[in-house]
Amino acid sequence: MAKFDISGSASRQTGLTQQDRNNAIRMEFEPYSKPPQQPPEQTARIEPMSEYVKPPTAPAQQPSGALPLPLQTVEWEGRKDKQGNLAVYKLPTGDMGGNFEVAGINDRYHPEAFKAISSLPAQERAKAAAEYIQGYTAPLVERLPQPLQPFTQDLAFNRGLGGATKYIQQGLNALGQKVAVDGGMGPKTLQAINQVEPRSLMREASKAQLDDEYRRASENPERKKFIAGLESRIRNRLAIFGGG
């Protein structure tokens, strides 16, 4: 298989709390052997909360041409209905994310968020999904230098906080910085990040992600069908957030 060249606050809309996001982060590390949760056949509409608390601040700057963060991630992750609104869809076999999903928010790793957002009117889902993605990725993103934040926000939601951190650590090693690849954003990793050029790190982290996916696909042939989509996602992420 040829490889391509890469030269807490509560939500007013969904009622999701910091605890909901913490639960999602914890579930990210549970073994794949745990049976996925089944979504309810019918879900009642989630009424808005009476009080609105401003969610975590998104990265202060964004590249020209990018959608408002993290709506760019919603755009890449989501599927739309005939009216152009986010749709709830069934995941294909081999996806490992459960049974159903809306904008990458699935019923296995993000069950409460999936239930809440999928229950909203279709025209309200994108804003709620973006808010959840922002809050979910904030524990990692807010620790990083600003140039890396938009890139890492999308990478972290695409592959989890621990997975994104490991790819960044592998990228650092490829650039000559010696850090442990343990998925923990500790002081040594943060210090190493400040020693390298952000664009170079984004490119090396992207290579690490793609290499990992090729390895997974070689072990599980069902994953091969996702390679083309991942390559496209990596190209788009680098073009918008990494300067090409």
Side-chain angles (χ1 to χ4, degrees):
M1 187 182 304
K3 300 183 182 181
F4 82 102
D5 180 19
I6 310 180
S7 29
S9 302
S11 161
R12 176 176 60 83
Q13 282 198 308
T14 65
L16 291 168
T17 65
Q18 183 64 46
Q19 184 61 45
D20 295 319
R21 290 191 287 269
N22 289 344
N23 289 341
I25 292 169
R26 184 166 56 251
M27 289 184 68
E28 172 193 330
F29 298 103
E30 291 186 355
Y32 280 132
S33 57
K34 181 178 178 180
Q37 296 191 23
Q38 296 290 336
E41 293 184 2
Q42 293 183 340
T43 53
R45 185 181 186 280
I46 306 298
E47 294 298 328
M49 294 185 68
S50 58
E51 296 182 359
Y52 173 69
V53 183
K54 186 178 180 181
T57 303
Q61 300 177 4
Q62 63 187 66
S64 175
L67 293 174
L69 293 172
L71 284 174
Q72 183 64 72
T73 294
V74 173
E75 182 72 12
W76 284 334
E77 289 276 6
R79 299 182 187 179
K80 297 182 179 179
D81 59 23
K82 294 180 180 179
Q83 288 71 45
N85 298 314
L86 279 183
V88 179
Y89 52 91
K90 183 174 177 59
L91 290 167
T93 58
D95 185 89
M96 310 299 287
N99 295 301
F100 293 92
E101 185 174 278
V102 55
I105 300 167
N106 58 57
D107 61 346
R108 179 172 186 174
Y109 295 110
H110 312 272
E112 295 301 321
F114 170 81
K115 179 179 178 181
I117 295 170
S118 64
S119 299
L120 290 170
Q123 66 271 20
E124 297 179 14
R125 291 173 184 160
K127 184 174 183 291
E131 182 179 301
Y132 176 75
I133 290 169
Q134 183 176 313
Y136 171 79
T137 58
L140 172 60
V141 171
E142 291 180 353
R143 302 188 66 189
L144 299 175
Q146 196 284 325
L148 283 172
Q149 289 184 5
F151 171 89
T152 304
Q153 184 173 79
D154 184 71
L155 176 63
F157 190 70
N158 184 223
R159 282 299 181 264
L161 306 188
T165 302
K166 286 183 178 180
Y167 296 145
I168 289 171
Q169 289 169 331
Q170 289 172 336
L172 288 168
N173 284 319
L175 293 172
Q177 301 294 319
K178 302 302 181 183
V179 298
V181 181
D182 58 8
M185 187 58 68
K188 290 184 178 179
T189 299
L190 289 170
Q191 183 179 16
I193 286 173
N194 289 321
Q195 302 301 313
V196 300
E197 200 273 324
R199 290 184 181 181
S200 297
L201 180 54
M202 284 184 259
R203 295 179 70 81
E204 293 300 334
S206 297
K207 289 180 180 178
Q209 181 187 3
L210 191 59
D211 287 344
D212 183 45
E213 193 60 31
Y214 273 102
R215 179 186 62 78
R216 292 172 184 265
S218 68
E219 296 172 355
N220 180 4
E222 282 194 329
R223 298 182 69 97
K224 291 181 180 179
K225 59 189 173 186
F226 302 116
I227 291 287
L230 180 61
E231 289 179 343
S232 177
R233 176 68 166 273
I234 290 174
R235 285 194 184 99
N236 288 335
R237 185 190 295 139
L238 284 173
I240 291 180
F241 301 136

